[in-house]
Amino acid sequence: MMDTGMSIDTGFNSERMQEMEALYSDALLKDVVPFWLRFSLDHKHGGYLTCLDREGDVYGTDKAMWLQCREAWMFSRLYNALEKRPEWLEAAHLGVEFISRHGFDADGRMFFLLTQEGEPLRKRRYLFTECFGIIAFAEYARASGREEYLHRAKELYRLVVDLYRKPDALEPKVFPETRLMKSLAAPMMLLATTQELRAFDTDPLYGIIAGETSREIIRDFLKPDEKAMLETVGPNGERLDIPEGRCVNPGHAVETAWFLMREGMFQGDEMMVETACRGLSWSLELGWDDDHGGLLAFVDIEGKPPERLEWDMKLWWPHTEALYASLLAYHSTHERRFLAWFESIHSYAFARFPDEEYGEWFGYLHRDGTTANELKGSTWKGMFHIPRAMLNIMLLLREIMDREDDDTIKEG
Amino acid sequence: MMDTGMSIDTGFNSERMQEMEALYSDALLKDVVPFWLRFSLDHKHGGYLTCLDREGDVYGTDKAMWLQCREAWMFSRLYNALEKRPEWLEAAHLGVEFISRHGFDADGRMFFLLTQEGEPLRKRRYLFTECFGIIAFAEYARASGREEYLHRAKELYRLVVDLYRKPDALEPKVFPETRLMKSLAAPMMLLATTQELRAFDTDPLYGIIAGETSREIIRDFLKPDEKAMLETVGPNGERLDIPEGRCVNPGHAVETAWFLMREGMFQGDEMMVETACRGLSWSLELGWDDDHGGLLAFVDIEGKPPERLEWDMKLWWPHTEALYASLLAYHSTHERRFLAWFESIHSYAFARFPDEEYGEWFGYLHRDGTTANELKGSTWKGMFHIPRAMLNIMLLLREIMDREDDDTIKEG
């Protein structure tokens, strides 16, 4: 057994919190954001170039719409949450303009992949691109003050909700006459999208959808008997005895856990927060690799062979999601085990993912922690999970420290 | 740099050939075939269970039609080429019956995935399932003497050829208005299918299609400037400056090389054999991992980051294809470098893929040669590449040894 980086829980004193806040703030503002600002803006055609090699050079020019929307969201979010830097707003504008001009099909749905110039290459059956479009438009509307983008976000949201409620509307991958399945990603994405939009707008629909999706996740995907948040279940949460039905995607599961925690806090529903923290614990325990440290990409809950080739790789995004989720769980429950998880994942991730030489993070490690691919961006890895987690962690640490200062003042 | 198993070329004397023939024959008949006979036959519902874990236990019951057809072909082929063992014919029958009864949609095309009982789960846009259906029916017709299966094979072949010649007939993944692409897999599969069917039947169409597809591969996919057999090109063989357009799949390339060698030999076209051997050399040189040995799964010809997560994994089937291709190239050209390749790949593969404890081969190794997944079968790995290569190698070695015996007799 190797040193997996599991740290002994030494508590989280204010010195450690300050140190962490500085570390995440520096990583975000001196490393990650500058990398994308410098290399990804496509000033010629608009939007972002995300297929970047280790040094930031472009190796592919196609524009994946998930990443166009996510990067536009991220720059807008930095502007709204952290500081009114004009270059962040301009960078957000570059993406939102490109998305508006080229991202939509005649039926109101969005394309999945465009050329550098904006010609459509692919459209897919899933609604995820639209979800990322909604959050990009809404966050940019706040940053720019351009109300019309909030309207576009709301329009698109209604389209997504309509299609979500009519499962027959989009052709499923597997014939529904033979097998009905549903995946965690769908309610998870709709919940997160609703939470984002709700921050800028009031509409009774948000409460209804956030309620429906969070209840659906808890009722159908969280399995106390198996101590697992499953990736795929039957239409009423039935366990499916197929490889997909035994599969846990620890990254998705911990991401869902923090969306649920956030929902519980918003609704003042302590039970939901507790349930979410339980789901987080299960997912970290299932996903953690006792031999080499880090979170596995896929796990079969019965220990049978996972069919995904990359099942034992260590990807960047499950780690960023686990970092924020465990810190939020610690903040919500004051349970030290979540702090221990935060520290373990932090040491694992910061020892392996950041590229000390050219900046930003590697995305793909072998099981043993060695780098499997040096790319910084692709049609899947872009400016999203890493800066979002860093920003969320910074803001949460500041909140905790502020409250402790207040407590000290009150006690003093 | 590690010991990559690259052997010094010591020639291929008759002792070494006998030793190799015995080794492949034992591996085929005492290890690989018994494993599938023992664990994969579904006597209850017909067809084969291919999702088998390390010990042969079933971890998933869905039936991927590629593998149903390939296993039915393989048992028939063993029966026709090696020995009239009744259990091989029965095993072939089990698959062919299942395929006939459940594998076809109303439009004459085949499904991609069925349940254990034979209910359809997925149908895909590609014609590969149909190609495997053709070779299964044709080989089984010969084994069983049931002529009607040859007729079914020919019917299905005409459907595939029709659709192949009408590129608009099947919806492409990427909008053709924006980007036209074609992939090596399509002509490669049609060539191989034609070669198999031609062994049992005469029809001028076979010569036409074998000619068209082999010329298309040589003209459009083999790039002397890059010394590469590309996986994806434009409709007239144009280089595409996108990650897909720089991608070589060494497994596909070496497999295509032996289909082309076989075609050149059939047509008595020495130039085609030479061209195929050149394509084989390029692909082995591009694919070989100088650091750890073995063949990489994907390579970018400009050294840019490959987008496929598994790019640096060592998979079973590129190695089995490279073994037979390099031996066939040695047989055709008498060039010692092909023998050196055969020996290097042989030592690499036999040191890492076979499971000494439970039999058959592991399918998925990390770059460093450690096992990444212990499964023996899945919806992709079945009873095909390993036994096919072992059988082809045995038969080729016997042919070479027989000829040398004849030569000795003539000289004596």
Side-chain angles (χ1 to χ4, degrees):
Chain A
M1 175 141 164
M2 297 173 58
D3 172 18
T4 60
M6 178 66 85
S7 67
I8 292 148
D9 172 20
T10 53
F12 213 42
N13 57 33
S14 70
E15 203 177 325
R16 180 65 176 153
M17 271 192 282
Q18 273 168 2
E19 185 191 345
M20 280 290 183
E21 196 276 335
L23 190 153
Y24 280 90
S25 164
D26 280 358
L28 178 69
L29 298 173
K30 296 182 182 163
D31 176 20
V32 174
V33 175
F35 184 94
W36 294 97
L37 259 183
R38 179 162 175 209
F39 296 114
S40 81
L41 307 187
D42 184 352
H43 292 292
K44 186 163 176 204
H45 298 282
Y48 313 110
L49 294 160
T50 63
C51 293
L52 304 175
D53 70 11
R54 183 177 180 187
E55 302 183 31
D57 289 333
V58 174
Y59 67 85
T61 55
D62 288 348
K63 288 174 175 158
M65 292 303 294
W66 284 25
L67 299 197
Q68 299 297 309
C69 297
R70 285 166 158 184
E71 185 160 345
W73 175 84
M74 192 71 232
F75 277 120
S76 304
R77 174 82 184 131
L78 286 165
Y79 186 88
N80 292 332
L82 219 52
E83 213 180 305
K84 306 281 173 241
R85 293 198 194 173
E87 71 265 32
W88 291 347
L89 187 58
E90 282 157 30
H93 178 76
L94 196 69
V96 166
E97 278 290 299
F98 182 85
I99 296 162
S100 304
R101 187 167 305 156
H102 303 292
F104 288 82
D105 199 358
D107 62 359
R109 289 203 50 213
M110 294 182 74
F111 294 114
F112 176 75
L113 187 69
L114 304 176
T115 63
Q116 179 169 18
E117 295 78 17
E119 293 295 311
L121 286 166
R122 287 185 71 188
K123 187 176 171 186
R124 296 185 75 192
R125 65 189 110 209
Y126 312 101
L127 295 169
F128 304 127
T129 308
E130 287 80 1
C131 288
F132 295 121
I134 292 162
I135 68 171
F137 281 163
E139 196 77 40
Y140 177 71
R142 165 66 55 96
S144 65
R146 295 173 64 179
E147 196 74 5
E148 69 268 30
Y149 281 104
L150 184 59
H151 290 299
R152 293 203 62 177
K154 291 171 68 172
E155 248 174 50
L156 195 50
Y157 182 76
R158 271 182 225 109
L159 178 78
V160 168
V161 169
D162 272 1
L163 290 170
Y164 184 74
R165 286 176 165 177
K166 284 181 276 189
D168 301 344
L170 302 173
E171 188 202 357
K173 198 163 173 175
V174 163
F175 297 133
E177 310 87 85
T178 308
R179 181 180 293 156
L180 287 167
M181 306 194 284
K182 65 180 186 184
S183 70
L184 176 60
M188 166 190 122
M189 277 300 305
L190 190 51
L191 172 60
T193 304
T194 304
Q195 291 171 332
E196 294 294 328
L197 192 50
R198 187 173 58 188
F200 305 115
D201 188 46
T202 51
D203 187 323
L205 185 59
Y206 304 142
I208 295 168
I209 297 295
E212 271 180 26
T213 49
S214 53
R215 278 193 303 274
E216 183 184 356
I217 293 168
I218 293 170
R219 186 188 62 222
D220 293 344
F221 293 91
L222 258 77
K223 302 294 177 194
D225 290 347
E226 288 89 355
K227 294 191 190 303
M229 195 185 309
L230 295 176
E231 192 65 14
T232 309
V233 295
N236 299 303
E238 301 90 337
R239 271 288 310 276
L240 298 172
D241 189 25
I242 51 174
E244 286 153 291
R246 295 189 303 264
C247 176
V248 168
N249 176 332
H252 265 174
V254 300
E255 196 174 3
T256 304
W258 74 255
F259 297 156
L260 280 180
M261 276 181 242
R262 179 162 75 164
E263 193 55 32
M265 291 174 201
F266 182 86
Q267 295 185 17
D269 180 343
E270 279 183 32
M271 276 289 286
M272 190 184 291
V273 176
E274 265 176 48
T275 305
C277 291
R278 203 157 50 238
L280 175 64
S281 279
W282 297 341
S283 309
L284 293 171
E285 279 154 28
L286 272 170
W288 190 256
D289 179 357
D290 288 328
D291 293 329
H292 299 276
L295 291 165
L296 298 163
F298 294 95
V299 176
D300 182 292
I301 54 167
E302 296 178 13
K304 294 179 179 174
E307 279 215 326
R308 298 286 289 256
L309 295 194
E310 73 272 30
W311 78 275
D312 72 352
M313 290 182 79
K314 310 291 164 63
L315 312 185
W316 78 106
W317 67 271
H319 294 84
T320 60
E321 300 317 294
L323 280 170
Y324 179 59
S326 54
L327 189 64
L328 191 63
Y330 174 63
H331 173 61
S332 311
T333 62
H334 300 283
E335 285 182 41
R336 292 235 161 167
R337 64 199 176 106
F338 289 117
L339 186 58
W341 273 117
F342 176 77
E343 292 279 11
S344 299
I345 300 158
H346 175 88
S347 352
Y348 179 87
F350 277 81
R352 289 163 185 85
F353 287 108
D355 178 0
E356 301 301 340
E357 198 163 346
Y358 294 98
E360 238 269 339
W361 282 27
F362 297 119
Y364 302 94
L365 312 181
H366 296 122
R367 181 169 191 169
D368 65 7
T370 53
T371 309
N373 195 319
E374 295 188 336
L375 64 78
K376 293 295 163 54
S378 64
T379 52
W380 300 102
K381 181 175 186 287
M383 190 208 183
F384 187 61
H385 287 100
I386 300 168
R388 181 179 70 169
M390 287 173 172
L391 177 65
N392 282 341
I393 290 167
M394 275 172 64
L395 296 176
L396 182 56
L397 287 171
R398 287 182 189 178
E399 194 189 318
I400 300 173
M401 289 188 290
D402 283 352
R403 189 168 322 160
E404 291 192 354
D405 284 350
D406 288 352
D407 292 349
T408 313
I409 290 161
K410 274 181 221 148
E411 282 164 15
Chain B
M1 173 138 167
M2 297 174 55
D3 172 18
T4 59
M6 178 67 84
S7 67
I8 292 149
D9 172 19
T10 54
F12 213 43
N13 57 33
S14 69
E15 204 179 323
R16 179 67 175 150
M17 271 193 282
Q18 272 168 3
E19 185 192 343
M20 280 290 183
E21 196 275 336
L23 191 154
Y24 280 90
S25 164
D26 280 359
L28 178 68
L29 298 173
K30 296 183 181 162
D31 176 21
V32 174
V33 175
F35 184 93
W36 294 98
L37 259 183
R38 178 162 176 210
F39 296 115
S40 80
L41 307 188
D42 185 352
H43 292 292
K44 186 163 176 204
H45 299 282
Y48 313 111
L49 294 159
T50 64
C51 293
L52 304 176
D53 70 11
R54 183 176 181 189
E55 303 183 31
D57 289 332
V58 174
Y59 67 84
T61 55
D62 287 349
K63 288 174 176 159
M65 291 304 293
W66 285 24
L67 299 197
Q68 299 297 310
C69 296
R70 284 166 157 186
E71 186 160 344
W73 175 84
M74 192 69 232
F75 277 120
S76 304
R77 174 81 183 131
L78 287 164
Y79 186 87
N80 292 332
L82 219 53
E83 211 182 304
K84 306 282 174 244
R85 292 197 194 174
E87 71 265 32
W88 291 348
L89 187 59
E90 282 158 29
H93 178 75
L94 195 69
V96 166
E97 277 290 298
F98 182 85
I99 296 162
S100 305
R101 187 167 303 157
H102 304 293
F104 288 82
D105 200 357
D107 62 359
R109 287 203 53 214
M110 293 182 75
F111 294 113
F112 176 74
L113 187 69
L114 305 175
T115 62
Q116 180 169 16
E117 295 78 16
E119 293 295 311
L121 285 165
R122 288 186 70 191
K123 186 177 171 186
R124 297 186 74 194
R125 64 188 109 210
Y126 312 101
L127 295 170
F128 304 129
T129 308
E130 287 81 2
C131 288
F132 296 121
I134 292 163
I135 67 169
F137 282 162
E139 196 75 41
Y140 177 71
R142 165 65 56 95
S144 64
R146 293 173 64 179
E147 196 73 4
E148 69 266 31
Y149 281 103
L150 184 60
H151 289 300
R152 293 204 64 176
K154 291 171 69 173
E155 248 176 50
L156 195 51
Y157 181 76
R158 272 182 224 108
L159 176 79
V160 167
V161 169
D162 273 0
L163 290 169
Y164 184 74
R165 286 176 165 175
K166 284 181 277 188
D168 300 345
L170 302 173
E171 188 202 356
K173 199 164 174 174
V174 163
F175 297 132
E177 311 86 84
T178 307
R179 181 179 293 156
L180 286 167
M181 306 193 284
K182 65 180 183 182
S183 70
L184 176 60
M188 166 190 121
M189 277 299 305
L190 190 52
L191 173 59
T193 304
T194 305
Q195 292 172 332
E196 294 293 328
L197 192 49
R198 188 172 58 189
F200 305 115
D201 187 44
T202 52
D203 186 325
L205 186 59
Y206 304 142
I208 296 168
I209 296 296
E212 272 182 25
T213 49
S214 53
R215 279 194 303 275
E216 182 184 356
I217 293 168
I218 292 170
R219 186 187 63 222
D220 293 345
F221 293 91
L222 257 77
K223 301 295 177 193
D225 290 348
E226 288 90 353
K227 293 192 191 301
M229 195 185 308
L230 295 176
E231 191 65 13
T232 310
V233 295
N236 299 303
E238 301 90 337
R239 270 289 310 273
L240 299 172
D241 189 25
I242 52 175
E244 287 153 291
R246 294 190 304 264
C247 177
V248 168
N249 175 333
H252 265 176
V254 301
E255 196 173 4
T256 304
W258 73 257
F259 297 155
L260 280 180
M261 275 181 243
R262 179 162 74 164
E263 193 56 31
M265 291 175 201
F266 181 86
Q267 295 184 15
D269 181 342
E270 278 183 33
M271 277 289 287
M272 191 185 287
V273 176
E274 265 177 47
T275 305
C277 290
R278 202 154 54 239
L280 175 64
S281 278
W282 296 341
S283 308
L284 292 171
E285 278 155 27
L286 273 169
W288 189 257
D289 179 357
D290 288 328
D291 293 330
H292 299 276
L295 291 165
L296 299 163
F298 294 95
V299 176
D300 182 291
I301 55 167
E302 296 178 12
K304 294 180 178 175
E307 280 214 325
R308 298 284 290 257
L309 295 193
E310 73 272 29
W311 78 276
D312 72 352
M313 290 181 79
K314 310 291 164 62
L315 312 185
W316 79 105
W317 67 270
H319 294 83
T320 59
E321 300 317 294
L323 281 170
Y324 179 58
S326 54
L327 190 64
L328 190 63
Y330 174 62
H331 172 60
S332 312
T333 63
H334 300 284
E335 286 183 41
R336 291 237 163 163
R337 63 199 176 105
F338 289 118
L339 185 57
W341 273 118
F342 175 77
E343 292 278 10
S344 299
I345 300 159
H346 176 87
S347 350
Y348 180 86
F350 277 81
R352 291 163 183 85
F353 286 109
D355 179 359
E356 301 300 340
E357 199 164 344
Y358 293 99
E360 237 269 339
W361 283 28
F362 297 120
Y364 302 93
L365 312 181
H366 297 120
R367 182 170 189 167
D368 66 6
T370 54
T371 309
N373 194 318
E374 296 188 335
L375 64 78
K376 294 295 162 54
S378 64
T379 52
W380 300 102
K381 182 175 185 287
M383 191 208 184
F384 186 62
H385 287 101
I386 301 168
R388 181 179 69 168
M390 287 172 172
L391 177 64
N392 283 340
I393 289 166
M394 274 172 66
L395 296 177
L396 182 56
L397 287 171
R398 288 182 186 179
E399 193 189 320
I400 301 173
M401 290 188 289
D402 283 351
R403 191 170 318 163
E404 292 191 354
D405 284 350
D406 288 349
D407 293 347
T408 313
I409 290 161
K410 275 179 222 147
E411 283 163 18

